[in-house]
Amino acid sequence: MCADPKAGSAGKFQHFPASHTIILADPLMQIVAEAYDIGAPDSCEFVRPGSNDSYVLRAGSAEYLVRLYGAGWRTPVEVACELDLMTQLSRGGVPVAEPLPDRRGNRTVSVEAPEGTRPLAVFRFDAGTPFVWRNEQ
């Protein structure tokens, strides 16, 4: 039998802290639509959990990868350095996804989650080909 939420303190439901939550795709799509100049999004799909959660967002014929960093997993400076590196590599001709700036020119926006603030970055999606290590002899 379930505890009665109106019962004494032992039976009350509590809010428990979380170390990692999966943010639903539809609210995340709304955050991206408000913060980034990508047009009206058609869909957003959660594709991969991890230290960073990944989503694919579609707007018209364009596809974007949305990376939602884990709360406290990296400092804001570490996230900025990662995005700086990706930008430099992309502009230097290395085939990596370059982070898109938001409407204010920032490369991340903050998402408030139960476990804390999580940085969000958006990249133009490029299916590309997977990298494979080859044992050259």
Side-chain angles (χ1 to χ4, degrees):
M1 180 173 198
C2 295
D4 180 358
K6 296 178 186 172
S9 62
K12 286 186 179 179
F13 292 103
Q14 299 177 11
H15 173 75
F16 292 97
S19 62
H20 185 88
T21 57
I22 302 296
I23 305 299
L24 296 175
D26 285 345
L28 195 71
M29 181 171 65
Q30 184 63 36
I31 290 168
V32 172
E34 291 172 6
Y36 290 84
D37 190 19
I38 60 168
D42 300 311
S43 66
C44 185
E45 177 184 355
F46 175 71
V47 292
R48 185 170 178 252
S51 298
N52 304 319
D53 294 332
S54 298
Y55 301 77
V56 173
L57 186 140
R58 292 171 184 86
S61 62
E63 289 186 317
Y64 302 90
L65 175 69
V66 178
R67 177 183 294 163
L68 187 58
Y69 290 84
W73 184 66
R74 289 201 173 149
T75 67
V77 170
E78 291 170 329
V79 171
C81 286
E82 176 187 330
L83 299 176
D84 283 345
L85 176 61
M86 293 180 75
T87 299
Q88 292 301 318
L89 290 171
S90 177
R91 292 180 181 173
V94 177
V96 298
E98 184 175 345
L100 300 177
D102 69 4
R103 294 179 195 273
R104 296 180 178 169
N106 301 313
R107 288 178 299 186
T108 62
V109 297
S110 296
V111 174
E112 295 303 322
E115 65 270 25
T117 302
R118 298 178 66 179
L120 176 145
V122 176
F123 306 84
R124 194 169 301 282
F125 185 83
D126 182 9
T129 57
F131 180 79
V132 178
W133 286 100
R134 293 198 173 98
N135 188 2
E136 301 288 328
Q137 294 200 2

